[in-house]
Amino acid sequence: MNNKKTRVTVTVIIAIAISLVSFFGGFAVSRLARKKEVSSFEWALRTIRDNYYEDIPEEKLLYCALNGMTASGLAGACLDKYSAYYTAEQYRELVATHGGSMSGVGISFTYVPSDDKYPQAASGVIIESVVGNSPAFYSGLEAGEYVIGANDREGAFGSQKEFIDYIDGKKTGEKFTLITDRGEYEMAKSNYTASYCTMSTKTADWNINYDGGGMNVVKTSENAGIDCLPDGAAYLRLDQFYGNAAYEMAELIGEFNAENCTSLILDLRGNGGGYVDVMCDMSGIYTGQLQNPHKTAMQAVYRNGKKEVYYVNNLFPQNKRLPAGTKVSVLADNGTASASEALLGVLIDNGVIDYGDVYISEFSDRYLDFTGTRAKNGRTYGKGIMQTTFVRPFTGEALKLTTAKIYWPKGATSIHDVGLSAADGENKCNAVYTDWDVTYGDLQLAEAVKMIYAD
């Protein structure tokens, strides 16, 4: 079976990225087009022509625009899949979401049809992730649980749409209970500020909340921690490079130092990236106590050959930076992309880690058949290009365009369309076999810990 995996984030405020195929189709010039639409089309065409990272003749753009009306797909051949158009309302929602402002319950899930075998539970709704500081997070729901029903309906959810419709049908503040193979979890949709970092040792967990509008570190010691970690080790998960993620990480590294930890596992699995400035801020956490760190976090090379250097930001005090000589290991998979791969470049080019300290997921055949991701098995995603968002004055509409190719701090490495790999070669990373991407209790982490601390 070769089904595509579907991940859905249940939230009310969500930015809908409209492809340029739709944009060109919606704004194609015709006798019936309003002046505003024609003006928007001309602005988009000019912005693409002047800023896209590859040269595209204007006549080709026009040809693609006209064909966009027929849904022929030819417009998609003009620009890469990362470029997108946003209306003013969609762009405002996007900015709010990336700033951490969310509304909903804070879960993403996969629906596995009945003819696929999930390793931890039967087919159906599998919780893929739970957003930090969300209603679902505080209910106790965890990734890898299988939803078997709800308190106000009978039976399991029979499809992805059925589950989405159930959640969407709940009003803000209306309590409901999801029933899983592990327990029952009461929650209600609400507005919240997402947190992006969590940390654990063998005996305790640290999470970030925003009670009262400020950022707070919450330590939990009762029935907490990750049993498979050795003494002195900490596990830190980073979900995305948005909002206050760098400040959250600095606070957790402060706790790492206060606990006198000596080794860190940084988890970038499924982290598709985010903002460059957040990555630059995080870079200082890992290089700020080195003797001669590279001041460059990454380099961007534009179509005209112009180079732009992005620098490491040393925003945080010494006690919130990782001590030099700390043993660092990184978990990655085929969803580790963009800013995550750029941060890996900072760590590798500064000698904080080498390729052998990177542990990349290698999935089973049944998972690869289910998701159709065989080409990226045992490697990171390989997104070494940068997008810039251009906002049109007065209207507020925006274009996100790929504008540059990214190189690591030393300027020699671009991982675009390549990624880091566990395949044989000079820069070989480690492969961590896992049957499925998400399992309750994170069986893959336990396997990686065995490998990391084998000596």
Side-chain angles (χ1 to χ4, degrees):
M1 192 172 179
N2 193 24
N3 294 332
K4 292 292 183 182
K5 182 175 182 181
T6 303
R7 296 186 181 188
V8 179
T9 301
V10 179
T11 180
V12 174
I13 299 179
I14 182 168
I16 306 172
I18 300 179
S19 71
L20 282 171
V21 178
S22 300
F23 172 75
F24 285 131
F27 286 89
V29 180
S30 73
R31 289 179 298 174
L32 299 178
R34 294 176 296 161
K35 286 185 177 181
K36 180 181 177 182
E37 292 172 327
V38 174
S39 178
S40 294
F41 176 83
E42 291 173 342
W43 167 77
L45 197 67
R46 183 172 60 253
T47 303
I48 294 167
R49 180 195 62 204
D50 294 343
N51 298 283
Y52 193 63
Y53 84 127
E54 293 177 340
D55 185 32
I56 302 178
E58 189 164 318
E59 58 270 21
K60 183 178 179 181
L61 281 173
L62 286 169
Y63 179 71
C64 291
L66 293 172
N67 277 281
M69 290 188 295
T70 66
S72 64
L74 292 176
C78 287
L79 304 181
D80 64 280
K81 62 183 178 181
Y82 306 108
S83 297
Y85 167 79
Y86 304 96
T87 65
E89 181 181 359
Q90 290 164 354
Y91 184 62
R92 285 193 298 270
E93 291 176 351
L94 180 72
V95 171
T97 300
H98 287 177
S101 297
M102 302 284 191
S103 182
V105 294
I107 59 175
S108 65
F109 71 94
T110 296
Y111 186 83
V112 182
S114 59
D115 54 353
D116 288 288
K117 302 295 185 181
Y118 191 75
Q120 292 297 103
S123 61
V125 176
I126 309 298
I127 301 300
E128 284 280 325
S129 65
V130 178
V131 178
N133 201 48
S134 69
F137 176 84
Y138 288 115
S139 76
L141 184 66
E142 296 183 32
E145 296 195 49
Y146 162 57
V147 180
I148 58 177
N151 66 318
D152 53 356
R153 67 186 305 279
E154 293 185 4
F157 295 94
S159 68
Q160 171 185 304
K161 184 179 183 302
E162 196 173 307
F163 186 65
I164 293 173
D165 288 346
Y166 173 79
I167 299 295
D168 285 349
K170 299 300 179 183
K171 297 178 181 178
T172 299
E174 179 185 355
K175 292 183 179 180
F176 61 95
T177 300
L178 291 182
I179 303 169
T180 79
D181 58 336
R182 300 281 172 173
E184 298 186 4
Y185 304 94
E186 184 181 74
M187 64 192 76
K189 291 195 288 191
S190 68
N191 299 323
Y192 63 94
T193 299
S195 64
Y196 299 99
C197 294
T198 59
M199 189 178 79
S200 297
T201 61
K202 188 178 183 68
T203 57
D205 297 324
W206 287 262
N207 299 297
I208 305 291
N209 74 33
Y210 289 88
D211 290 349
M215 185 173 67
N216 309 292
V217 179
V218 179
K219 179 181 179 181
T220 305
S221 297
E222 185 176 353
N223 299 320
I226 299 175
D227 290 339
C228 66
L229 290 174
D231 293 335
Y235 163 85
L236 195 159
R237 179 168 178 84
L238 171 64
D239 291 321
Q240 288 182 303
F241 291 75
Y242 290 132
N244 293 318
Y247 293 86
E248 293 175 9
M249 181 173 285
E251 291 298 319
L252 295 179
I253 292 299
E255 299 293 335
F256 175 94
N257 291 330
E259 294 288 317
N260 296 312
C261 293
T262 56
S263 67
L264 178 71
I265 299 174
L266 175 62
D267 191 351
L268 297 177
R269 289 175 296 172
N271 187 325
Y275 290 139
V276 171
D277 59 346
V278 176
M279 187 278 295
C280 291
D281 292 345
M282 285 184 183
S283 297
I285 297 173
Y286 291 91
T287 66
Q289 297 201 49
L290 301 180
Q291 287 294 322
N292 296 297
H294 285 278
K295 295 181 179 179
T296 299
M298 72 176 210
Q299 300 180 42
V301 179
Y302 295 87
R303 184 177 70 194
N304 59 5
K306 173 190 171 184
K307 290 184 180 180
E308 184 175 6
V309 176
Y310 289 82
Y311 294 99
V312 172
N313 294 328
N314 288 309
L315 301 177
F316 306 108
Q318 294 291 322
N319 69 319
K320 294 181 181 179
R321 301 179 188 178
L322 196 72
T326 302
K327 175 182 173 63
V328 178
S329 307
V330 181
L331 306 185
D333 63 12
N334 55 21
T336 301
S338 194
S340 288
E341 293 172 303
L343 182 60
L344 280 166
V346 172
L347 300 180
I348 290 173
D349 275 6
N350 277 286
V352 177
I353 64 173
D354 60 30
Y355 289 93
D357 295 312
V358 181
Y359 294 79
I360 301 178
S361 304
E362 190 169 273
F363 297 111
S364 67
D365 286 340
R366 65 176 177 170
Y367 176 81
L368 296 173
D369 290 341
F370 177 66
T371 59
T373 56
R374 191 173 300 276
K376 287 183 169 62
N377 195 31
R379 54 165 278 193
T380 61
Y381 189 86
K383 183 176 180 288
I385 49 178
M386 182 180 75
Q387 286 69 50
T388 303
T389 300
F390 300 88
V391 182
R392 189 182 181 203
F394 307 115
T395 68
E397 60 193 312
L399 268 177
K400 182 179 71 172
L401 292 179
T402 299
T403 54
K405 192 172 183 179
I406 298 304
Y407 290 82
W408 283 1
K410 291 182 179 180
T413 302
S414 173
I415 48 76
H416 189 57
D417 286 337
V418 178
L420 278 70
S421 175
D424 289 336
E426 181 181 357
N427 299 323
K428 184 179 185 299
C429 302
N430 296 287
V432 182
Y433 179 80
T434 181
D435 192 43
W436 208 266
D437 67 333
V438 176
T439 54
Y440 185 80
D442 202 345
L443 302 178
Q444 185 186 356
L445 171 62
E447 184 62 28
V449 167
K450 291 179 184 178
M451 298 171 65
I452 292 167
Y453 299 101
D455 296 332

